[in-house]
Amino acid sequence: MWDAESETGGGRDYSNGVLSISKHGLKTDGFEQRGQSWYVATDIPSDFLVQIGDVNFHLHKYPLLSRSGKLNRIIYESREDLNKIVLDDLPGGPEAFELAAKFCYGIAVDLTANNISGLRCAAEYLEMTEDLEEGNLIFKTEAFLSYVVLSSWRDSILVLKNSEKLSPWAENLQIVRRCSESIAWKACANPKGIRWQYTGRPPKVSSPSWNEMKDSSPSRNQQVPPDWWFEDVSILRIDHFVRVITAIKVKGMRHELIGAAIMHYAAKWLPGLITEGSAAADEGSNYSHANDINRSWKGGLHMIVAGTKEDIPTVQAKDQRMIIESLISLIPPQKDSVSCSFLLRLLRMANLLKVAAALVTELEKRVGMQFEQATLADLLIPSYNKSETLYDVDLVQRLLEHFLVQEQTESSSPSRQSFAEAPQRGTNPNAKMRVARLVDSYLTEVSRDRNLSLTKFQVLAEALPDSARTCDDGLYRAVDSYLKAHPTLSEHERKRLCRVMDCQKLSIDACMHAAQNERLPLRVVVQVLFSEQVKISNAIASSSLKEAGESHYHPMVSTRKTLLEGTPQSFQEGWATAKKDINTLKFELETVKAKYLELQNDFETLQRQFDKMAKPKQTFAWTSGWKKLGKLTKMSNLENHDDGPQISNPEQPKKAPRRWRNSVS
């Protein structure tokens, strides 16, 4: 294994990363730069001009043709004496060609992790193979990559980072694949074998090789946290980051750590996705149950590679969309790989940036798997489409449906539950109850939106089964808030709205508030009062039974007065108020019922009269009938007035007085 600092082998000298050749070429003292042009420091005038972008290289044909197959072929295939060539498509640009030209002239070249990838691609472009000369540039750069770069963590990261501008050459030459696998292997290695004496070195200091980072006695050093590789990997471009994480997955890294690395990367490349402080909280909660580590540790290998925190990348919307789509596809399928809060924030940005619908649906299903972990702040996602509502209520409805489907699938097929997920479900028996409280809070918040339709509110409130709510106080608050924001609802709409809650599940305090709530329909108030009466009676009865059970010598309370004396004062006041309200409502209902029956009789009478008036031939009969009816009424009144002072025969049965509304039919 070659050392990161020096290497010798096969007659080829890599001392201090300096590449030299054994054969003598054109004698020169080096290159000189004059503005945008490079000249060879020699007495022989140049006879060949190479132009790359805005930079010109005034060189000689013989050193270049002896080592570059491409230049050799271009010059000899030209029909005329070619003195100038343009190589704008050369990978690595003028910097890489400068090093390649120096190599052709026999000048020592310093190989580093920053220039090796560009120089390797330039050598391949210039066709500097072994067919022209033994120990050509392709061979030597490939050897440096294989034996020096890939044995160092830092150098592998830097080479992969510098390969971002070398596509597709870096891909075709397997530089990206080899660096990704090297990084994955080192990230999955036992972190106890890392010596932390190298941590904190500035980027200019060359990092040690991977073999030097192993220590036979790690107890002398500080314990290595499992996230030591997060910061270094997060500086990579998204496509290279995907390659590294994919390789780490194949090597068996725990899904909690992979999820934490994804969240760390998203926090760095997606500004606004995670607020300050929440990223560390999400990552810590993601794998703290699997590792008992000291979170106060602030150092790490990432100090070698990464820049300062102020060096935040600026990403355009198009690039952000690509990052989000890649991260969604990269999240491990296991539950709790990433936090639900992170998924919801990612979903918010996905809707904002118009990510592909299939990926958004997949992300919504992932949120549904752990919907009970969501918070109200994360659910308040604005509606980015042309919807009239302020918040995306339809999105929350879909998330809730995914949650219910997931719960039903898990309960119906317990044999499919993996061993790793069984403890999580065992410690989470009240997921539906937590989701119910979350939905009630969400409804209370969005109900203030005047554009929220009654149908959307009702569908979301009734999505959960009745068993999910043991108390409907939260739902009552949401209903009351909706009634406040929508005062123009009709009586029918208010009754329809109140059907979403069960009055029997309201607490005593909620019942007291509802009994005095003028926005509720009268029927709902009666139901609330009845429910309150039942609860108070049950509370009094249970209190009495409890007191009777505590002492076998005390007689059971039988009288209502004694029973009320043993009741708390709050219950007595509540019962008196409730009873008074119930009696008042009963009297009002009886009055309304009597008026209703009277109006119904009058309506039927008028209806029959109207039917007969519709016949023109019987108009005179109607008039004479009304006159006869008036005479009979007067005679009846006179008879009753004359018979009033007389004593009636008790043996004769009394006849009920006839009402004056007699039908003539």
Side-chain angles (χ1 to χ4, degrees):
M1 185 66 65
W2 287 1
D3 188 41
E5 303 294 337
S6 65
E7 173 174 347
T8 58
R12 301 178 181 89
D13 185 16
Y14 294 89
S15 178
N16 295 324
V18 177
L19 182 62
S20 61
I21 59 175
S22 57
K23 294 184 179 181
H24 297 284
L26 182 65
K27 186 176 181 180
T28 176
D29 295 332
F31 278 31
E32 297 177 355
Q33 185 178 12
R34 303 170 188 173
Q36 294 293 326
S37 301
W38 285 89
Y39 296 88
V40 182
T42 181
D43 296 335
I44 302 176
S46 62
D47 58 357
F48 190 64
L49 175 64
V50 179
Q51 182 178 356
I52 303 176
D54 297 334
V55 182
N56 297 322
F57 292 88
H58 300 270
L59 307 175
H60 304 82
K61 290 183 180 179
Y62 174 72
L64 299 178
L65 300 183
S66 63
R67 296 183 182 276
S68 173
K70 184 179 181 66
L71 296 179
N72 197 340
R73 185 176 65 256
I74 292 175
I75 292 177
Y76 281 100
E77 288 179 355
S78 63
R79 297 181 180 180
E80 57 184 11
D81 189 13
L82 188 64
N83 296 323
K84 179 181 178 181
I85 188 173
V86 179
L87 301 176
D88 289 336
D89 57 344
L90 183 140
E95 296 80 7
F97 184 79
E98 176 194 350
L99 298 177
K102 288 181 179 180
F103 176 80
C104 294
Y105 279 88
I107 301 174
V109 177
D110 186 12
L111 297 182
T112 64
N114 291 320
N115 61 27
I116 187 61
S117 57
L119 188 58
R120 173 67 182 89
C121 295
E124 190 70 22
Y125 176 87
L126 296 173
E127 301 176 8
M128 303 176 71
T129 63
E130 294 294 294
D131 297 337
L132 296 176
E133 183 175 349
E134 184 180 359
N136 210 340
L137 188 58
I138 289 180
F139 174 80
K140 294 192 175 183
T141 52
E142 186 66 29
F144 188 84
L145 271 172
S146 302
Y147 295 103
V148 179
V149 171
L150 298 181
S151 63
S152 169
W153 167 265
R154 173 184 178 273
D155 292 345
S156 299
I157 293 286
L158 290 178
V159 169
L160 189 57
K161 180 65 177 176
N162 293 327
S163 299
E164 295 176 355
K165 301 178 181 179
L166 300 174
S167 298
W169 290 90
E171 286 283 352
N172 297 335
L173 296 175
Q174 305 297 320
I175 296 177
V176 174
R177 180 189 61 81
R178 288 182 289 173
C179 289
S180 300
E181 292 182 353
S182 174
I183 294 170
W185 181 82
K186 294 173 177 60
C188 295
N190 188 0
K192 293 183 179 179
I194 300 176
R195 295 182 62 183
W196 290 98
Q197 61 183 0
Y198 299 99
T199 302
R201 287 189 177 188
K204 295 182 180 180
V205 180
S206 178
S207 65
S209 64
W210 182 252
N211 289 336
E212 292 178 352
M213 297 169 71
K214 296 182 179 180
D215 188 8
S216 58
S217 57
S219 59
R220 296 180 302 173
N221 304 314
Q222 190 175 1
Q223 185 180 1
V224 181
D227 63 342
W228 64 270
W229 51 278
F230 285 7
E231 185 65 25
D232 287 350
V233 174
S234 66
I235 70 173
L236 301 175
R237 199 173 62 186
I238 182 61
D239 54 340
H240 293 167
F241 177 77
V242 171
R243 294 286 294 270
V244 171
I245 296 299
T246 302
I248 289 176
K249 282 184 179 180
V250 173
K251 297 186 182 302
M253 175 72 75
R254 296 194 309 275
H255 64 87
E256 301 94 349
L257 283 176
I258 295 177
I262 292 173
M263 290 192 293
H264 187 91
Y265 186 90
K268 186 170 185 177
W269 288 89
L270 298 175
L273 176 68
I274 300 179
T275 57
E276 185 177 358
S278 62
D282 285 345
E283 295 174 15
S285 62
N286 205 41
Y287 53 81
S288 60
H289 62 277
N291 302 279
D292 185 12
I293 58 178
N294 184 8
R295 302 303 298 170
S296 61
W297 179 84
K298 299 297 182 182
L301 283 180
H302 62 269
M303 296 294 292
I304 300 175
V305 180
T308 60
K309 292 183 178 180
E310 288 76 11
D311 188 16
I312 300 176
T314 56
V315 187
Q316 301 298 328
K318 182 179 178 181
D319 297 330
Q320 288 186 354
R321 186 185 305 110
M322 183 177 63
I323 291 174
I324 292 176
E325 292 177 348
S326 301
L327 293 181
I328 294 174
S329 304
L330 198 61
I331 295 175
Q334 292 84 356
K335 185 179 180 180
D336 295 331
S337 298
V338 294
S339 66
C340 185
S341 179
F342 170 77
L343 291 175
L344 285 169
R345 288 193 289 264
L346 197 64
L347 182 59
R348 180 197 298 258
M349 290 199 68
N351 290 333
L352 177 62
L353 298 175
K354 307 298 181 183
V355 174
L359 292 175
V360 172
T361 302
E362 180 64 25
L363 188 57
E364 290 176 359
K365 292 180 180 179
R366 293 301 307 269
V367 175
M369 291 175 58
Q370 47 198 97
F371 193 53
E372 69 276 7
Q373 303 173 7
T375 61
L376 177 60
D378 295 329
L379 277 185
L380 295 176
I381 300 177
S383 181
Y384 297 110
N385 51 21
K386 296 182 180 180
S387 177
E388 296 179 353
T389 57
L390 179 62
Y391 297 106
D392 198 343
V393 181
D394 295 333
L395 172 61
V396 178
Q397 176 67 29
R398 293 195 299 271
L399 297 179
L400 188 56
E401 291 175 356
H402 290 312
F403 168 76
L404 294 175
V405 170
Q406 182 69 21
E407 286 288 319
Q408 185 178 2
T409 303
E410 292 178 357
S411 60
S412 60
S413 57
S415 59
R416 296 183 181 179
Q417 298 179 6
S418 61
F419 177 77
E421 295 180 355
Q424 296 177 0
R425 295 189 185 91
T427 57
N428 190 18
N430 299 323
K432 288 185 179 179
M433 295 183 181
R434 286 199 292 271
V435 171
R437 291 193 293 268
L438 177 64
V439 171
D440 294 345
S441 301
Y442 180 79
L443 286 172
T444 304
E445 188 68 27
V446 301
S447 62
R448 301 184 180 96
D449 186 4
R450 294 182 179 272
N451 295 324
L452 179 64
S453 64
L454 177 59
T455 302
K456 287 187 177 182
F457 184 94
Q458 187 177 8
V459 170
L460 185 57
E462 295 176 348
L464 287 169
D466 295 338
S467 59
R469 293 184 178 92
T470 58
C471 180
D472 279 7
D473 286 5
L475 203 54
Y476 169 70
R477 282 191 292 269
V479 169
D480 186 48
S481 178
Y482 190 88
L483 290 173
K484 287 181 181 178
H486 302 79
T488 59
L489 290 179
S490 63
E491 184 72 13
H492 174 71
E493 290 175 335
R494 287 190 295 158
K495 290 180 180 179
R496 176 184 165 192
L497 174 64
C498 294
R499 290 195 194 104
V500 301
M501 64 178 181
D502 187 359
C503 297
Q504 296 181 359
K505 292 184 179 181
L506 296 179
S507 64
I508 297 294
D509 295 335
C511 289
M512 296 293 294
H513 184 276
Q516 303 174 4
N517 194 343
E518 298 179 354
R519 291 178 290 272
L520 296 178
L522 182 61
R523 183 176 180 179
V524 177
V525 174
V526 173
Q527 293 177 355
V528 169
L529 292 174
F530 178 76
S531 175
E532 183 182 12
Q533 180 184 6
V534 172
K535 289 180 182 179
I536 294 175
S537 301
N538 293 336
I540 294 173
S542 61
S543 177
S544 302
L545 292 175
K546 183 177 180 180
E547 293 178 359
E550 291 177 354
S551 177
H552 297 283
Y553 301 101
H554 293 172
M556 183 176 295
V557 180
S558 57
T559 62
R560 182 176 181 275
K561 181 178 179 181
T562 310
L563 186 64
L564 291 176
E565 290 177 355
T567 307
Q569 185 66 25
S570 60
F571 280 140
Q572 295 182 18
E573 295 177 356
W575 165 251
T577 305
K579 185 177 180 181
K580 181 179 179 181
D581 293 339
I582 290 173
N583 293 333
T584 304
L585 290 174
K586 284 182 178 180
F587 176 76
E588 292 178 356
L589 286 175
E590 292 295 335
T591 304
V592 172
K593 185 177 180 181
K595 291 181 179 179
Y596 173 76
L597 293 175
E598 183 178 354
L599 291 174
Q600 186 177 11
N601 293 332
D602 294 342
F603 174 76
E604 292 176 354
T605 302
L606 293 175
Q607 184 66 31
R608 288 193 294 268
Q609 293 176 0
F610 177 77
D611 293 341
K612 292 184 177 182
M613 289 176 65
K615 300 178 181 180
K617 295 181 180 181
Q618 297 180 0
T619 306
F620 179 76
W622 276 97
T623 306
S624 60
W626 281 107
K627 291 180 178 180
K628 292 180 181 180
L629 180 62
K631 293 179 180 180
L632 291 174
T633 304
K634 292 180 179 180
M635 293 174 63
S636 177
N637 292 334
L638 290 174
E639 290 176 357
N640 293 333
H641 183 270
D642 295 338
D643 297 339
Q646 297 178 2
I647 300 175
S648 61
N649 188 3
E651 296 180 358
Q652 295 180 354
K654 296 182 179 179
K655 296 183 180 180
R658 297 178 61 184
R659 298 179 62 182
W660 68 273
R661 290 193 184 95
N662 293 323
S663 176
V664 296
S665 59

